[in-house]
Amino acid sequence: MPAMSVSEKFKKVFLDDKYSVGQERVALRNVGLIDPENIYDYIYNARGYQALAEVLTDMKPEDVVEAVKKSGLRGRGGAGFPTGMKWEFTAKEKSLEKYVVCNADEGDPGAFMDRSAIEGDPHSILEGMLIGGYAVGAQKGIVYIRAEYPLAVERLEKAFCAARKEGFLGENILGSDFSFDVEIRLGAGAFVCGEETALINSIEGKRGMPRPRPPFPASNGVFGKPTLVNNVETWANIGAIFLDGADSFAALGTEKSKGTKVFALAGKINNTGLFEVPMGTTLKEIVYEIGGGIPNGKKLKSVQTGGPSGGCLTEKFLETKIDYESLAAAGSIMGSGGMIVIDEDSCMVNIAKYFLEFTKSESCGKCVPCREGTTRIYETLTRITEGQGEEGDIEKLELLGEIIKKSSLCGLGQSAPNPLLSSIKNFRKEYEEHIYLKRCRAKVCEKLVDYVINDNCVGCGACRRVCPATAIDGTVKAKHYIYSAKCIKCARCFKTCKFNAVVKETGLPE
Amino acid sequence: MSTPKEVLSQKKLKAKEELSAAGFFKPLKIYVGSATCENAAGAKEIMKIFETQAGKKDCRDFYLSKKGCVGRCNLEPTVEVYEEGKKTVLYVKVNEKEAEKIIDKHIKVGK
């Protein structure tokens, strides 16, 4: 085989612009380069199952765990727990029956890293799980995937069938003593089931609610047996560690966060899409080089990382090198890799409200702080965006957020206030304008702007007819005007006008 | 007894044969991106267009395959054309018209 790294291969194919230059493909090493439905393509062209064969031939299970520890790989689901440690805990448990689980319950709005990884290269995930099963002494693997990903499920099934046929699954894999098989469990798409204990409950056929930890899944997981739960992206990285060596994996990234991370870039950005960069890449490189900047010459306002569990970063964090620690220090989290770029046309209060609406409805309701707390935050934020904000709201929200973080049972509640707290921290002025001045700088909150008619008006009278408050006056074919004292700010005139003649004004100094 | 490594190298040979039987080593290869996102952007229809070209008299023989999503969401659907000895071409935002152009340029005999 030629000594061309996969990243080089990827760049050779896609070297079209800055988009691919900063990338380093490890977890997604084969995605977009091979046929995901053809096991032979994987075996012949992508060094498929070579890592497994090497592990089974030359390494004892302890050595495998040691190699993963040495690589410095950390959980890619968001929390960043060292993967090697997790493997070691599960391997040390004494039990005849153990499980490895692939967590493919990807629920962040706008995130699709796991879907893409499975749809583009299902065999790498399977190979990772096989190596994991060998290392911890498990015979059974379970992929927990949401039913909303039909194509990913279909490709996984195809991959498993092909692997069984070729002897990569089943009894005595590749002629060794190691036997292993996997099955797929479909989830109904509850966000909380991405939390490992809730996921285990769901696999067991129970309601998807988290359990208190400890006992951790490593000792008491699926059906009470020791269980190793890792995210899709973590599993995808395992093969690379054994193909190219733990050292070359650890050479990528920062001191505490090794390797690469896949991000799904969305929002107000030119190049939306999926990319994989080494840990330690700055936000600036991601937004302006890989992302290609903000469309329509708008200004960057914020970058939201980590989805509903993450926070909103401002421009001053553009030089931040992305790894688990630096993002946490900046008030956000790495999360599973969703990254939403926000420009000046978005209202931060409204964005916090959006995320809280999501966590409120996805909260499983088991513990009070999360169930009641997220609802109260959402109600307060709704009040603020409708012009009913009161003095002291910000302080109450901050206090409530801290309480929820400290007292919730699982990761969902512990991280749910992050979008709120980080946006208060970084955009306090905007909250104050909403509450005290009843003004929305970004012209998003309908009740917090003035509606005026400009010279585009042709006098068609459409706005006058829809106004429920008879606040608009004017004669046919002459410019109309709005009595602001009578206006109830329902925005109907704004939505009705076909001539862009009704505009929103903030009334705030620039 | 053979080691897992040896077993795998046997399988690798078999994989080569299987790929060869499927036409993988043809000098012209066309990859159509087909993840959920690409299908939503219309990749399935594009795939069909290429499928109907296979085996036609005035067309060169080519290997047609799916591939995963490379991550260019704003440019989907994507089609890659590998031709031996030539630079790989990546076509983006491929619609039916564009697909016909690709066929004219790469697949039709004598072009």
Side-chain angles (χ1 to χ4, degrees), chain A residues 278-293:
Chain A
M279 297 274 188
T281 306
T282 62
L283 271 179
K284 196 177 186 178
E285 285 171 290
I286 290 176
V287 173
Y288 291 103
E289 287 179 23
I290 293 170

Side-chain angles (χ1 to χ4, degrees), chain A residues 341-402:
Chain A
V341 180
I342 296 162
D343 72 1
E344 53 196 329
D345 287 345
S346 299
C347 163
M348 297 313 292
V349 184
N350 198 52
I351 281 173
K353 188 180 108 184
Y354 167 78
F355 282 115
L356 261 300
E357 186 181 6
F358 180 83
T359 36
K360 170 186 85 87
S361 62
E362 291 293 342
S363 169
C364 76
K366 184 167 182 172
C367 70
V368 177
C370 175
R371 182 185 69 227
E372 301 297 327
T374 51
T375 308
R376 292 292 96 78
I377 291 180
Y378 174 69
E379 283 170 1
T380 311
L381 288 176
T382 308
R383 213 159 35 74
I384 292 172
T385 53
E386 286 176 354
Q388 309 291 320
E390 292 161 10
E391 198 177 336
D393 273 346
I394 299 178
E395 290 72 21
K396 270 186 209 158
L397 283 173
E398 281 177 324
L399 179 65
L400 185 54
E402 290 300 335

Side-chain angles (χ1 to χ4, degrees), chain A residues 1 9 48 66 85 141 238 249 266 280 338 361 442 445:
Chain A
M1 286 292 282
K9 207 159 133 192
E66 211 44 52
M85 303 263 284
I238 298 295
F249 184 87
S361 62
C445 302

Side-chain angles (χ1 to χ4, degrees), chain A residues 8 73 83 87 228 254 353 383 388 400 407 437 445:
Chain A
E8 282 166 26
L73 175 64
T83 306
W87 286 36
L228 172 65
T254 61
K353 188 180 108 184
R383 213 159 35 74
Q388 309 291 320
L400 185 54
S407 54
L437 304 176
C445 302

Side-chain angles (χ1 to χ4, degrees), chain B residues 32-94:
Chain B
V32 180
S34 48
T36 301
C37 41
E38 305 232 22
N39 285 347
K44 270 189 176 166
E45 283 71 36
I46 305 299
M47 192 79 183
K48 269 186 203 136
I49 294 176
F50 284 108
E51 272 167 8
T52 54
Q53 292 299 315
K56 274 194 182 172
K57 259 188 189 166
D58 57 343
C59 288
R60 284 169 62 191
D61 205 11
F62 63 93
Y63 176 71
L64 180 65
S65 170
K66 292 175 181 176
K67 67 174 175 60
C69 144
V70 288
R72 303 305 308 264
C73 299
N74 53 334
L75 301 176
E76 284 169 356
T78 59
V79 172
E80 268 168 62
V81 180
Y82 287 81
E83 226 171 322
E84 234 171 53
K86 284 187 191 168
K87 200 176 175 294
T88 305
V89 197
L90 177 68
Y91 291 93
V92 297
K93 289 190 179 169
V94 180

